Structures are given as C-alpha cells and as structure tokens.
Amino acid sequence: MAVNSAIEWTESTWNPVTGCSEISAGCKNCYAKRMALRLQAMGQPNYRNGFKVTCHPHLLDLPLCWKKPQMIFVNSMSDLFHAKVPCDFIFRVFGVMHQAPQHIYQVLTKRAERLAELTDLLPWSKNVWAGVTVETAEYKYRISLLRQAKAYVKFLSLEPLLEDMGILDLSDIDWVIVGGESGPGARPIKADWVRNIREQCIEQNVPFFFKQWGGFNKKKNGRTLDGRKWDQTPHRISQEIYV
C-alpha cells in the first residue's frame, strides 16, 4: 500500500492484485506496466512475475491496519475484474473493504462486463465505489454497464482521454474524472475535448475533476483548465460511518 499517493483523485493505493493485459486503446502506454517491470528488475518480491496477473493474499488485510480514514484506490497496478482474478479472490477483497468501513475504496475497471456480471453477488458497502475507464467514444458502452453496479457511488475515469467524447449520458453517475496521457509516447489531448465534458457535467449536475494535461512532463503542463483547477468530488461523500 502506498500512502500519500501522487494520483490527484485519491489518497492511498492498495494492490492485492498486480499485473494486467491490454484490452483497449488506453492500455497502449500503460504506466502500471512500466512501473511493474521496473520493480521486477529491482527485485521487488510482489513483482517477481512482472506484469502477469498475480494475486497477493498476504496483502489483503492491510486496510484493516489503517485506523486513519483514507480514500483508497484499489488495484492501481491491476484490474480487480480481470478474467484471471478468481471470483473467490474478488469476494475476499470486498470482504476486507466491508470490514474496514473507515475508508472509502475506489474500484476502477475496464472490465465493465465482469463488473456487471458479478455485481449482485458482491457485498456492496456504502464505502465501496465503482468506476469504469472510458478513453474513447468506442467504449462509452461501459457507462451503461456501470449503471448496473450496486455501488453507492459510481464514477467515470475518462483517462487517458484520446478523442472527443461527443454526447455523454451521465444519469446515475456521481463523478467524472478527466486526464491526458502522461509519460513516454504520450498521445496529445485537446482542450475542447475537456471543455465538452466539463460543460456536460455542469449541465447534468455531476462533479467534474480535471486531473492533468499529461504529456512527457506532466508536472510542467499542470492541471489548470481555463484559469482554474477543477477538483470537484461526489456530492454523496459524508461523514457517516459506512456500514
């Protein structure tokens, strides 16, 4: 688990699963793959398999040790709903999240089909959010599948944003995150693509979070859009104990 994550829309990361495989356009320059291979070369034991999907039962209980409430991105180095993650292990991850209600867990996936398939079998506590990545208009169908999830908060990660999204139906969506691709070979993002999404979020009363412009030097390019930072978060966040 990483405390004080550099990812702008979360606080910490928890990776009971590592490794993944390409499924759509946004995977081309995957930061997690680059990092996993680097950690493998350094001899980090959790990455002995490189970027092959690997479950780590010894990491399951980590959130139970964290007393201070955290916003936790689940599997920043993988996809919990990857076909190679056994259903039993997914259930164990959800069980831990249920046992540590002081935290909010952000479960983000590109495998929206499996999310929809398993949703009725999973113990959705109010502190477990579900999100899908949608990087081009071709994958907007994932939004409809997300709507089937039983999560209390549903969010979209339009990152890396690779084209204009056109019209978005944001009904039953609680949060939209947008960001450009970063790192070597980063594909460019256009400001009008971002503005189009922002305006639809405003019209449909959905919180909008602009993460970054990206590029090879993402820090230099920053995350200011039209003179301000957009750091809106879901309206449904509250101080209640999620049980």
Side-chain angles (χ1 to χ4, degrees):
M1 184 181 289
V3 184
N4 298 323
S5 171
I7 300 172
E8 288 81 358
W9 48 265
T10 196
E11 293 176 330
S12 303
T13 57
W14 171 43
N15 286 288
V17 182
T18 56
C20 201
S21 57
E22 292 189 17
I23 190 174
S24 58
C27 301
K28 180 180 178 181
N29 297 315
C30 179
Y31 79 91
K33 182 176 181 178
R34 291 197 307 271
M35 185 179 296
L37 296 178
R38 188 179 309 132
L39 291 169
Q40 181 188 36
M42 294 168 58
Q44 217 285 349
N46 290 337
Y47 293 89
R48 63 188 181 279
N49 295 328
F51 205 51
K52 293 181 180 179
V53 176
T54 305
C55 296
H56 301 283
H58 65 287
L59 297 178
L60 279 172
D61 291 341
L62 279 175
L64 304 180
C65 303
W66 256 10
K67 302 305 180 185
K68 180 181 177 181
Q70 298 285 328
M71 186 85 72
I72 300 173
F73 179 12
V74 181
N75 288 329
S76 62
M77 296 294 289
S78 185
D79 189 326
L80 185 61
F81 291 97
H82 194 286
K84 291 187 177 180
V85 180
C87 288
D88 179 65
F89 198 80
I90 296 174
F91 298 151
R92 292 175 69 184
V93 171
F94 268 74
V96 171
M97 294 190 290
H98 183 76
Q99 291 176 57
Q102 70 269 31
H103 307 308
I104 291 175
Y105 301 89
Q106 299 159 308
V107 182
L108 179 63
T109 184
K110 287 187 176 75
R111 276 80 178 174
E113 296 89 344
R114 197 173 187 211
L115 168 64
E117 176 187 339
L118 295 178
T119 190
D120 289 334
L121 303 175
L122 296 168
W124 290 99
S125 304
K126 288 184 177 180
N127 61 322
V128 181
W129 299 1
V132 295
T133 298
V134 181
E135 58 265 51
T136 70
E138 178 182 355
Y139 306 110
K140 287 197 289 187
Y141 70 88
R142 293 174 183 163
I143 303 174
S144 297
L145 291 169
L146 174 64
R147 272 191 275 269
Q148 299 177 31
K150 304 301 183 183
Y152 185 66
V153 169
K154 303 177 183 70
F155 67 98
L156 304 182
S157 175
L158 309 184
E159 182 188 11
L161 186 64
L162 300 176
E163 66 178 23
D164 185 79
M165 283 292 178
I167 302 299
L168 291 169
D169 177 4
L170 300 177
S171 56
D172 296 321
I173 301 301
D174 300 291
W175 194 24
V176 174
I177 302 165
V178 176
E181 190 168 54
S182 61
R187 290 161 284 184
I189 186 174
K190 295 185 178 180
D192 283 345
W193 301 349
V194 183
R195 293 187 181 107
N196 176 43
I197 297 166
R198 179 194 60 191
E199 294 310 305
Q200 293 187 71
C201 286
I202 292 171
E203 291 171 5
Q204 299 182 55
N205 195 31
V206 178
F208 173 79
F209 191 105
F210 183 53
K211 178 187 172 186
Q212 63 184 25
W213 290 107
F216 183 75
N217 189 339
K218 67 175 185 179
K219 288 187 178 180
K220 180 180 178 181
N221 293 331
R223 49 189 301 265
T224 300
L225 172 64
D226 294 334
R228 60 165 285 189
K229 291 181 179 178
W230 295 80
D231 291 334
Q232 296 172 350
T233 53
H235 299 311
R236 298 190 185 191
I237 292 178
S238 73
Q239 299 302 314
E240 67 181 291
I241 299 299
Y242 294 128
V243 296

